[in-house]
Amino acid sequence: MSEPVTSIRTPVRLEYNYIAGGAQSRFLRGIAQRRIRGQRCPQCSKVFVPPRGACPVCGVATTEEVEVADRGVVTTFCIVNLPFYGQAREIPYVCASVQLDGADVPLFHLIQEIPADQVTMGMRVEAVWVDDDELKPSLESIRFFRPLEGPSGEGSGA
């Protein structure tokens, strides 16, 4: 009698083609100019970054463009300690939700220039942009976020 099959391993590859709509296209063009833009909901007044063209809370169209800062606060984070195939960063590293000044919804990005075990919620951070010749309409134009001076951004002019 043969043994039952309990698992099958097979390589999987997923490829995506993403087409940005009007709101996200304007957002990405702004990123290529070192500007971060969101959109404000006409009903709840929340500013969403990146914008989606509609408020996910109220379900209404958002057309008011709002420029937000490239600084903000870490609202939550995770420390990545597990290696995986194709990994580009040395572990451990930190992925965080950063609520930019002027925005109501956090943006997910990397935190660097600080040991992973020293990242805290509430920490003030700023974007580190690529060099001008590397700017493109992609969130890759922001290399990562780094802490502002001091434990809460003191001395940074924030």
Side-chain angles (χ1 to χ4, degrees):
M1 178 161 202
S2 61
E3 294 293 318
V5 175
T6 58
S7 70
I8 297 174
R9 289 186 181 212
T10 183
V12 174
R13 180 182 172 106
L14 300 174
E15 292 186 28
Y16 296 91
N17 289 322
Y18 176 79
I19 299 172
Q24 289 186 338
S25 292
R26 288 187 298 279
F27 167 77
L28 293 170
R29 283 193 295 272
I31 291 290
Q33 300 168 357
R34 296 180 191 260
R35 299 171 68 191
I36 303 174
R37 296 181 180 140
Q39 286 186 334
R40 184 183 319 275
C41 173
Q43 285 186 332
C44 68
S45 297
K46 289 185 178 177
V47 175
F48 296 94
V49 176
R52 293 167 185 86
C55 176
V57 176
C58 303
V60 298
T62 53
T63 57
E64 180 188 352
E65 299 279 326
V66 177
E67 188 162 341
V68 301
D70 65 354
R71 296 174 174 211
V73 175
V74 172
T75 60
T76 189
F77 66 94
C78 70
I79 300 173
V80 178
N81 285 302
L82 297 173
F84 56 88
Y85 179 76
Q87 185 168 335
R89 306 217 174 267
E90 185 177 324
I91 57 173
Y93 64 91
V94 176
C95 294
S97 293
V98 177
Q99 188 161 339
L100 299 172
D101 297 344
D104 291 296
V105 175
L107 181 72
F108 197 67
H109 217 298
L110 295 169
I111 304 292
Q112 304 241 304
E113 295 188 7
I114 183 173
D117 63 355
Q118 292 180 22
V119 174
T120 61
M121 291 191 309
M123 181 173 63
R124 300 268 312 148
V125 293
E126 66 181 350
V128 175
W129 296 83
V130 298
D131 294 333
D132 287 345
D133 61 333
E134 297 176 63
L135 284 168
K136 57 186 176 184
S138 164
L139 275 176
E140 291 176 345
S141 289
I142 299 174
R143 288 186 196 271
F144 52 83
F145 284 80
R146 68 175 168 212
L148 290 166
E149 295 178 38
S152 298
E154 297 101 16
S156 64

